[in-house]
Amino acid sequence: MSTTSEDEEKIADDEGGSSEEESVQDEVEIQDEENSEADDEKQSEGDSDKSLTFKDLGLNETLCKACEELKWKTPSRIQKESIPLALQGKDIIGLAETGSGKTAAFALPILQALLDTPQRYFALILTPTRELAFQISEQFDALGSCIGVKCCVIVGGMDMVSQSLQLGKKPHIIIATPGRLVDHLENLKGFNLKAIKYLVLDEADRILNMDFETELDKILKVLPKERHTYLFSATMTKKVKKLQRASLKDPVKVEVSNKYQTVEQLLQYYIFIPLKYKDVYLVHILNELAGNSFMIFCSTCNNTVRTALMLRALGMAAIPLHGQMSQNKRLAALNKFKSKNRSILISTDVASRGLDIPHVDIVLNFDIPTHSKDYIHRVGRTARAGRAGKAITFVTQYDVELYQRIEHLLGKQLPLYKCEEDEVMALQERVSEAQRTAKLELKDIEESKSNRFKKAGTNTIDDSEQFVGARKRLKPGGSVKKNWKRAKKK
């Protein structure tokens, strides 16, 4: 099996950052200044015409009814702009703030075209992460349920044989991550993409990252030249121009935000703290804002697990999600958070792209993102589709330059989130005990992981919520310091 099947796990590894040159490149805005005034006029027209319906955009009654069942009353700005152009058969580059309904902007025209000319292997949607692939599949299933649309999700971390059987049934829509799709193209006899009529790159700027360039080139070579291509993202970089020349024909750029920006309903703050007391401030904020649903972003897989174990030791319902977990564990973690069984999801940037979880109230940037544009995606997990939300970024003495880049990108200074220092430091002792417990449990997880690796040849951190290796050694009610010494002797 090709190693590229774990393509999206490179995202987890990429969190540590790449070259300085890429960082600068990522922050370059792709803007057409000559057309910015025209774009602003279009926006104001779209905002004033609130009576516009999906039927007015040119969609047929079946799809309009599907939108009504999903309680979508009026199209969003990106949908108003892009759907009519897509129905005219044009290639599109769609740029809109996160949470603005980009998925439906390409799903609805594809489903309408599928109704007009039904065929198998009709559209291919490429995404950078597995979780986003499953979410897009749910959206297609919901919109196409009344017309019998068959979707197939092809991602790494899942059984290739069962995926081959799904592809053998010839679905209408294939939603895939680039690496695993290349695996099937190379290893599955009789499978090809010659019939594809529509290609969509969701979160296009991330797919165009160097990590996916080889796989994407292989996929583009086997796709027919006569097709419609859509690129959609909340942020775009100069790398898009390269692909634009290679695979789009006279594309129309639809920008409903004329710079990198976050939605107006999102309240954004920063908190300046010493690195030493980062965990203490995190626990204080979680206590102070208790009752809300949190997404906490960390920079590494190891830190997500450590933070989750620490918060669990303090009795908080936290669950980690990162690229080194098995795919079933990743989906289980996401489902627990979506169903509100857990109120705190601690994740790497693997969950920063496109995931739509309506009940997220607060996003905490526990580790500041290396690339400024990733900040846009992270905070976009809250305040979606017109709702309110809050984002707080932790800035230590070592993060000042990265934080200044974020403010420069946003074009504004964020207000300080005020905390009473005395109240925060009162938690220090409890947090220190929880840190020690987490350290013990993390050590046990690492040991069991290395044992499994020797036996099965797999190297994944499957952090199970039932894992209590260290806690068994820490007797309840006893002194933590004494138990810590006993545990060390054992």
Side-chain angles (χ1 to χ4, degrees):
M1 192 188 299
S2 170
T3 54
T4 54
S5 62
E6 299 304 320
D7 57 345
E8 50 291 87
E9 290 184 10
K10 293 173 188 171
I11 293 168
D13 296 331
D14 192 38
E15 291 142 6
S18 49
S19 69
E20 208 168 295
E21 187 181 334
E22 272 187 38
S23 176
V24 173
Q25 213 176 22
D26 281 341
E27 291 176 19
V28 178
E29 297 176 27
I30 298 176
Q31 308 249 343
D32 189 352
E33 292 176 7
E34 294 174 8
N35 296 330
S36 62
E37 289 180 11
D39 288 344
D40 290 340
E41 284 172 23
K42 285 180 184 176
Q43 284 179 38
S44 59
E45 283 171 21
D47 289 338
S48 61
D49 190 7
K50 293 197 176 179
S51 60
L52 198 69
T53 64
F54 284 101
K55 194 170 184 180
D56 297 331
L57 298 180
L59 294 172
N60 60 34
E61 286 183 16
T62 310
L63 292 175
C64 290
K65 190 179 177 184
C67 293
E68 281 176 28
E69 287 174 3
L70 292 172
K71 297 181 181 176
W72 296 352
K73 293 176 184 175
T74 55
S76 66
R77 279 159 60 188
I78 185 69
Q79 291 162 4
K80 288 175 189 173
E81 296 285 338
S82 60
I83 289 175
L85 293 168
L87 293 175
Q88 291 169 29
K90 295 184 182 294
D91 285 3
I92 293 171
I93 297 175
L95 180 59
E97 65 262 1
T98 185
S100 59
K102 292 187 291 294
T103 307
F106 62 75
L108 288 167
I110 287 172
L111 290 173
Q112 176 134 326
L114 181 61
L115 275 171
D116 294 339
T117 55
Q119 73 160 62
R120 301 290 181 170
Y121 292 158
F122 188 72
L124 171 64
I125 290 90
L126 293 177
T127 76
T129 67
R130 304 170 183 181
E131 286 71 28
L132 185 53
F134 283 104
Q135 183 179 290
I136 292 170
S137 174
E138 288 169 10
Q139 190 108 65
F140 268 99
D141 286 336
L143 288 168
S145 57
C146 52
I147 56 175
V149 167
K150 300 293 180 190
C151 294
C152 175
V153 179
I154 304 297
V155 295
M158 306 294 274
D159 181 44
M160 279 192 76
V161 176
S162 60
Q163 288 180 352
S164 300
L165 292 172
Q166 281 183 291
L167 288 170
K169 293 177 183 175
K170 298 194 174 179
H172 303 105
I173 314 289
I174 300 171
I175 302 147
T177 49
R180 179 48 67 93
L181 184 65
V182 169
D183 284 349
H184 283 287
L185 285 169
E186 290 175 347
N187 301 320
L188 184 59
K189 287 184 180 179
F191 173 58
N192 62 66
L193 300 171
K194 291 176 183 174
I196 293 290
K197 294 285 186 285
Y198 284 82
L199 170 67
V200 180
L201 272 67
D202 195 25
E203 300 300 344
D205 57 330
R206 186 69 186 193
I207 293 178
L208 295 171
N209 187 302
M210 291 296 286
D211 288 342
F212 295 99
E213 200 165 300
T214 308
E215 290 88 349
L216 194 59
D217 286 343
K218 287 179 182 177
I219 292 166
L220 290 173
K221 280 178 186 174
V222 298
L223 287 172
K225 289 184 179 179
E226 293 300 318
R227 64 167 193 273
H228 302 290
T229 308
Y230 304 148
L231 308 185
F232 278 89
S233 184
T235 54
M236 288 283 182
T237 65
K238 277 191 171 177
K239 292 175 187 174
V240 174
K241 287 185 177 177
K242 184 179 176 184
L243 188 87
Q244 183 179 327
R245 287 196 299 271
S247 61
L248 277 77
K249 292 181 181 176
D250 300 323
V252 179
K253 187 184 283 187
V254 178
E255 289 184 84
V256 298
S257 57
N258 55 7
K259 65 174 183 177
Y260 289 152
Q261 66 179 41
T262 51
V263 292
E264 292 172 7
Q265 293 85 353
L266 176 65
L267 301 173
Q268 300 172 80
Y269 301 93
Y270 79 95
I271 182 166
F272 190 63
I273 52 175
L275 180 65
K276 185 179 177 182
Y277 300 119
K278 208 173 178 184
D279 286 343
V280 186
Y281 273 86
L282 173 66
V283 173
H284 171 74
I285 287 173
L286 292 173
N287 280 331
E288 190 180 45
L289 302 173
N292 289 301
S293 182
F294 296 88
M295 277 188 82
I296 301 171
F297 285 100
C298 297
S299 59
T300 64
C301 301
N302 206 53
N303 203 22
T304 60
V305 179
R306 184 200 68 81
T307 309
L309 292 171
M310 181 195 71
L311 294 178
R312 281 186 208 155
L314 291 165
M316 297 183 184
I319 191 163
L321 173 68
H322 57 81
Q324 289 182 8
M325 290 165 69
S326 68
Q327 186 56 34
N328 288 334
K329 286 273 174 77
R330 282 163 71 166
L331 291 174
L334 204 56
N335 288 334
K336 280 179 185 175
F337 184 64
K338 279 185 174 179
S339 61
K340 301 186 183 179
N341 287 336
R342 301 290 180 276
S343 59
I344 303 169
L345 180 70
I346 305 170
S347 174
T348 57
D349 278 326
V350 80
S352 68
R353 291 278 178 152
L355 291 186
D356 185 24
I357 306 169
H359 64 79
V360 176
D361 302 307
I362 297 165
V363 168
L364 299 177
N365 285 304
F366 187 60
D367 292 330
I368 204 160
T370 312
H371 301 309
S372 306
K373 67 174 188 133
D374 287 337
Y375 173 86
I376 306 283
H377 293 280
R378 285 184 180 188
V379 301
R381 297 315 100 216
T382 186
R384 296 178 72 81
R387 301 180 191 89
K390 189 180 287 184
I392 303 170
T393 301
F394 287 58
V395 185
T396 70
Q397 64 269 37
Y398 306 110
D399 302 325
V400 175
E401 188 182 344
L402 288 172
Y403 176 70
Q404 286 174 336
R405 286 185 195 173
I406 290 170
E407 285 195 330
H408 178 70
L409 188 70
L410 294 172
K412 62 181 178 183
Q413 290 188 329
L414 303 183
L416 179 69
Y417 186 82
K418 292 178 182 177
C419 286
E420 292 293 333
E421 194 175 337
D422 296 341
E423 291 179 17
V424 177
M425 299 319 292
L427 295 165
Q428 188 179 352
E429 194 174 337
R430 283 181 62 203
V431 173
S432 296
E433 289 179 8
Q435 284 173 330
R436 286 194 289 271
T437 307
K439 191 176 179 181
L440 268 174
E441 291 201 17
L442 194 60
K443 188 179 178 183
D444 283 354
I445 290 173
E446 288 291 335
E447 285 173 4
S448 64
K449 181 190 79 169
S450 61
N451 290 336
R452 279 203 308 274
F453 178 62
K454 285 173 188 174
K455 288 177 185 176
T458 56
N459 186 15
T460 59
I461 301 175
D462 282 349
D463 170 50
S464 169
E465 286 191 289
Q466 287 73 42
F467 188 87
V468 286
R471 280 186 219 171
K472 280 181 182 174
R473 301 197 309 237
L474 295 173
K475 292 179 183 176
S479 163
V480 172
K481 287 183 181 177
K482 286 179 184 175
N483 285 323
W484 170 254
K485 286 176 184 175
R486 284 178 199 161
K488 281 183 81 175
K489 284 178 185 176
K490 284 186 183 180

